[in-house]
Amino acid sequence: MNVTTIEVTVNGSRESLQVRPNLSLLHLLREDLALTGTKNGCEAGECGACIVLLDGEPVNSCIVLAVECDGCTIETIEGLNDLPLMQKLQKAFMDENAIQCGFCTPGMLISSLALLRRNPNPADAEIRTALLGNLCRCTGYERIISAVRSTAGI
Ligand code: FES
Ligand code: FES
């Protein structure tokens, strides 16, 4: 199969990568770049476990082709970990017991970060709307909503 060279910035590092036309951004991150904090849940754009920031906007990386990312900036949970707002979110998730198995947590945190960047003090309804694309099998969501609420406005 033909390969294409793409140039991307991943977590601040400029990368030149050879990709197959059918390679998803999710597989590029997990398998080619060993960034396994991005989770593979459904591979159908349904669960949000694979969310990353693409040019600052949250996307389901399983339904984005790597070739579409040429020239783009990609941020994964590994690259966002040290941001002060992400650290506040992580502490709130722990304090509110909003993590059980943790599979959904990277995607939840990135969606929450994106929300709080565009609206630092969202209403509960806005938090729920922002997390509609993130499925959690464990927590029942209320603790996650509480964690985001407790981070808002800090
Ligand atoms: S793995 Fe991408 S949305 Fe579920
Ligand atoms: S904590 Fe298990 S899927 Fe959300």
Side-chain angles (χ1 to χ4, degrees):
M1 193 178 290
N2 289 341
V3 295
T4 304
T5 301
I6 62 169
E7 307 279 340
V8 289
T9 301
V10 182
N11 296 334
S13 295
R14 189 88 178 153
E15 306 274 357
S16 181
L17 301 165
Q18 301 231 305
V19 300
R20 303 184 310 279
N22 63 348
L23 183 72
S24 69
L25 175 57
L26 172 64
H27 285 287
L28 178 77
L29 293 170
R30 286 183 57 84
E31 286 144 34
D32 294 25
L33 299 175
L35 293 168
T36 54
T38 304
K39 300 306 180 196
N40 184 351
C42 64
E43 284 198 77
E46 301 285 349
C47 75
C50 65
I51 286 179
V52 299
L53 297 182
L54 181 64
D55 287 340
E57 294 297 324
V59 296
N60 289 319
S61 61
C62 68
I63 54 171
V64 175
L65 290 173
V67 292
E68 296 178 284
C69 300
D70 189 25
C72 294
T73 296
I74 298 150
E75 294 164 284
T76 70
I77 193 68
E78 291 89 346
L80 296 165
N81 256 341
D82 294 335
L83 297 180
L85 180 56
M86 180 60 89
Q87 294 196 342
K88 287 175 186 165
L89 276 166
Q90 290 173 342
K91 182 174 185 313
F93 270 60
M94 288 189 286
D95 290 347
E96 298 286 339
N97 293 317
I99 303 170
Q100 290 188 25
C101 79
F103 192 82
C104 70
T105 307
M108 287 284 185
L109 287 168
I110 293 175
S111 292
S112 301
L113 180 84
L115 167 66
L116 295 179
R117 278 177 166 174
R118 63 179 184 271
N119 179 0
N121 207 357
D124 276 14
E126 293 168 295
I127 299 172
R128 291 177 191 280
T129 299
L131 298 180
L132 272 180
N134 294 83
L135 302 186
C136 177
R137 294 166 292 186
C138 308
T139 67
Y141 298 100
E142 288 303 325
R143 292 167 189 268
I144 293 170
I145 305 296
S146 295
V148 179
R149 185 193 305 124
S150 73
T151 311
I154 291 177

